[in-house]
Amino acid sequence: MMGLLSGLQGAASAVASGHRQGSRRSSVGADLNNRPPPPGEEDETSVLDEEQGSIIMSMISQLRIGMDLSKVSFPTFVLEPRSMLERITDFMSHPELVFGAEEDPNPEERFLKVLQYYLSGWHIKPKGVKKPYNPVLGEFFRCHYDYPNGTQGFYIAEQVSHHPPISAYFYISPANKLRICGELRPKSKFLGNSVATVMEGENRVFLMGKPEDGEYVISMPNMYARGILFGSLILELGDLCTAKCEATGMVSDVDFKTKGFFSGTYNAIAGKIKRDGVEVGTLEGRWSHQLQYTPTKTGEKRTVFDAATESKNVTSKTVAPEEEQELNESRRLWSKLTAAIAAKDMEAATTAKCAVEDAQREAARKRIQANGKHVTRFFEQRSDGLWVPKILNKLPADAPADEIVKIVKEWIWAPRPATPSLTVATDTPASSSHASPTKESTTSSSPVQHRVGSSFTL
C-alpha cells in the first residue's frame, strides 16, 4: 500500500511540474495517452496548466484507492459554474421529442420517443472535465419554459439530503401532457487515474394523456473522469442504462461504451429494445452526435436524434433575477462563486465556496443542538424510498391544462412559509453573469449563457 501511495504522489508531482506521467511498461502507450484528441473531439478533453497541476497534486495526496469522495473538496477550476440542481435541466432541453407521444397507438413508438428524449439530454455539456457545484441541504432551483407552441413547462429541484447526497426534481408541462419525477444519488470513488461516479437514482416519465402506460422508469449510466494522474483529462459515460415500461412490457438496456485504449470512439452507445422479451429493434450511435434506430421487422435504419440539429431548438429556461430569489435558491446562493469563476479569480472562488459550505455546517450544528430535523420544502419521501413532489397527489387527473398550470405555479412560487435553514453572510447578491430577469439558452460550448428578457413573468 505504501508503494502504491508513493506512486500516486510521484504521479501527482509530475502533474504539478507540467509533465504528464506515462506508464513505464510501454512508451507507445504513453504516447497514445498523451496524443491530442482526433479532429472533432477537442471538446472531449482538457489539459491542466502548472498551477492547476499543483492543486491537483495537493488533492491527490489525500486520496486512497476506493475512497469515497463525498467529503473531498475539489479545486474550483474543475467546477462548472452552476449547481447540480440546475444541471439536471439539461434533460428538459428537448421535451418536444416526447410531446404528443400519448397519441401514438403503437407502444413501441411511445417507448422509443421517451427513450430518445432521455438520451438527448447528455449532449449538453461543458468542454473537458467540469463538475457542477454540490448542492447543499435545503438548496433549490426553479424555472419555467415558454415553448413555441404557446405552452409552458415548469421545473423545481431541491437538495433533500446531504449525507448521502440526494437531489430530487420535478418537471411538468400540463398542456403537453408530460410529467417527470426523479432523484439523483451520486456516489464517487477514487480509482487511481480516474474518478468514478455511480449515478444511483432514476427518471420516471409519465404521459399524462396515456395514464394506462404507467411510468417509464429510466436509470442512469455511470460517469468516469479519466486522466487525473497522466494523459488528457476526459469525462466519459459508461455501463448500462435501463429503461422500462412494465405496463406495456417494453424494456431496453442501453450500453454506454467507454473509449478503448487503442480503438473505439468517444460517447458511443448501443442497445436492444424488447417487448415481452422479444427484440423489436436496436439503437446505436453517439449520444453527442447522432442516434439511429433499426426496427427488427423492416431493418430500415432511421435517425432518432441529431445533436447538430436539435441543439438549435433548445428552449430557453426563464429564471428570476438573483435579487428576487430566496437566499437558498441556487443562483443567488452560489452567485459569488460563479462571479469569481467567470473572473478566473481562483482565490475568491475558493473563499466563496467555503462560505457556503461553512454556512451549511453551522446550520447542521444548530439543528443538532436543538434536536431538530431538516424539513424538506417541495418533496417528500414515499414508503418505497423514492422522492416525489408534495403536490403530486393534489393534481386533478381530468382538470383542464390551465387549471393545473395555475396550481403548479402557485405551489412552486409560493412565498417561503418559514425562515430559510441556510443563509450565507452577504450584503447584496454578487454581480455575475446572472443579471436581471434572464432566459438561458443552454449550449454545449458554454454551460451558462443568458438572454435578457423584458420581465420575469409566468
Side-chain angles (χ1 to χ4, degrees):
M1 177 62 75
M2 290 303 296
L4 175 61
L5 294 179
S6 297
L8 291 178
Q9 291 170 351
S13 298
V15 173
S17 62
H19 301 289
R20 306 294 255 178
Q21 215 179 43
S23 171
R24 292 186 179 181
R25 291 177 297 179
S26 170
S27 59
V28 175
D31 290 340
L32 282 172
N33 216 21
N34 287 284
R35 182 180 298 172
E41 305 292 356
E42 292 82 359
D43 284 352
E44 305 300 335
T45 63
S46 57
V47 179
L48 302 183
D49 60 27
E50 184 173 346
E51 179 183 0
Q52 293 171 339
S54 297
I55 298 174
I56 285 288
M57 179 190 70
S58 175
M59 184 190 74
I60 289 175
S61 67
Q62 310 170 46
L63 304 182
R64 304 292 183 272
I65 299 296
M67 182 177 181
D68 184 350
L69 299 183
S70 62
K71 296 184 179 180
V72 175
S73 181
F74 282 81
T76 53
F77 68 80
V78 303
L79 294 178
E80 179 184 0
R82 56 176 175 165
S83 171
M84 174 59 82
L85 299 183
E86 182 173 358
R87 174 78 174 271
I88 298 171
T89 62
D90 290 353
F91 291 94
M92 315 304 161
S93 297
H94 299 290
E96 73 281 355
L97 295 176
V98 74
F99 284 171
E102 72 283 350
E103 298 176 0
D104 197 314
N106 188 339
E108 297 172 13
E109 287 298 322
R110 294 198 300 274
F111 183 82
L112 180 61
K113 288 178 180 179
V114 171
L115 189 57
Q116 70 182 96
Y117 144 75
Y118 169 73
L119 294 174
S120 71
W122 292 107
H123 79 97
I124 300 173
K125 62 186 182 69
K127 178 181 178 180
V129 179
K130 295 292 182 182
K131 176 182 180 296
Y133 311 149
N134 287 332
V136 296
L137 186 64
E139 176 187 339
F140 67 94
F141 178 83
R142 55 190 175 184
C143 66
H144 79 269
Y145 300 84
D146 296 305
Y147 298 118
N149 63 359
T151 63
Q152 291 185 307
F154 306 93
Y155 172 86
I156 177 70
E158 180 181 9
Q159 192 69 8
V160 295
S161 173
H162 184 60
H163 291 301
I166 301 175
S167 304
Y169 56 92
F170 173 66
Y171 166 91
I172 188 170
S173 182
N176 294 297
K177 302 177 181 179
L178 179 63
R179 190 182 79 203
I180 302 169
C181 298
E183 63 274 323
L184 289 179
R185 305 167 184 259
K187 295 181 179 180
S188 298
K189 286 188 176 182
F190 178 61
L191 302 179
N193 190 41
S194 63
V195 170
T197 300
V198 178
M199 300 294 287
E200 295 183 357
E202 61 185 26
N203 301 270
R204 301 182 294 278
V205 180
F206 183 71
L207 305 179
M208 298 162 64
K210 198 72 174 178
E212 59 268 33
D213 277 5
E215 291 183 323
Y216 293 75
V217 181
I218 311 173
S219 66
M220 281 162 281
N222 298 322
M223 295 184 176
Y224 297 92
R226 306 190 189 280
I228 293 176
L229 302 182
F230 54 85
S232 298
L233 280 169
I234 182 170
L235 182 67
E236 290 191 280
L237 300 179
D239 308 320
L240 286 180
C241 154
T242 299
K244 60 184 178 181
C245 176
E246 292 186 355
T248 60
M250 299 296 303
V251 65
S252 177
D253 287 326
V254 180
D255 186 9
F256 283 74
K257 301 176 179 291
T258 57
K259 186 180 183 300
F261 192 74
F262 293 103
S263 63
T265 186
Y266 291 120
N267 309 336
I269 68 169
K272 295 180 179 180
I273 298 178
K274 299 180 179 182
R275 185 178 185 186
D276 296 326
V278 179
E279 183 178 320
V280 298
T282 59
L283 192 69
E284 63 181 353
R286 300 175 65 192
W287 52 261
S288 56
H289 291 68
Q290 279 192 348
L291 299 176
Q292 288 84 33
Y293 174 67
T294 305
T296 302
K297 285 185 179 180
T298 66
E300 297 178 358
K301 182 183 294 187
R302 73 178 192 261
T303 298
V304 293
F305 178 73
D306 185 331
T309 300
E310 295 298 337
S311 61
K312 301 174 184 178
N313 301 323
V314 176
T315 300
S316 304
K317 57 178 173 283
T318 303
V319 185
E322 286 174 7
E323 62 270 18
E324 295 180 14
Q325 294 180 18
E326 294 183 22
L327 294 177
N328 55 332
E329 282 195 62
S330 295
R331 289 191 177 179
R332 182 171 181 178
L333 179 66
W334 297 104
S335 60
K336 289 188 176 181
L337 174 55
T338 301
I341 291 176
K344 297 183 178 180
D345 186 341
M346 293 302 103
E347 183 176 348
T350 300
T351 299
K353 182 171 178 285
C354 289
V356 175
E357 294 169 344
D358 289 345
Q360 176 177 241
R361 283 188 283 269
E362 177 62 17
R365 186 186 65 81
K366 290 181 177 179
R367 280 197 304 273
I368 292 174
Q369 286 182 341
N371 292 320
K373 181 181 179 181
H374 175 74
V375 178
T376 56
R377 177 170 173 182
F378 296 99
F379 294 84
E380 59 189 1
Q381 192 171 26
R382 296 192 318 206
S383 58
D384 59 4
L386 298 178
W387 289 87
V388 296
K390 293 181 178 180
I391 198 178
L392 191 59
N393 294 326
K394 300 176 183 177
L395 297 175
D398 300 323
D402 289 347
E403 182 178 335
I404 298 178
V405 165
K406 183 175 183 295
I407 295 172
V408 170
K409 285 163 59 174
E410 290 178 349
W411 173 66
I412 294 180
W413 282 276
R416 185 173 181 89
T419 304
S421 60
L422 175 73
T423 57
V424 180
T426 181
D427 29 63
T428 56
S431 61
S432 70
S433 59
H434 309 305
S436 260
T438 59
K439 274 192 174 183
E440 176 183 314
S441 177
T442 309
T443 65
S444 58
S445 60
S446 176
V448 185
Q449 295 183 347
H450 304 281
R451 295 202 304 268
V452 178
S454 58
S455 62
F456 179 75
T457 57
L458 300 179

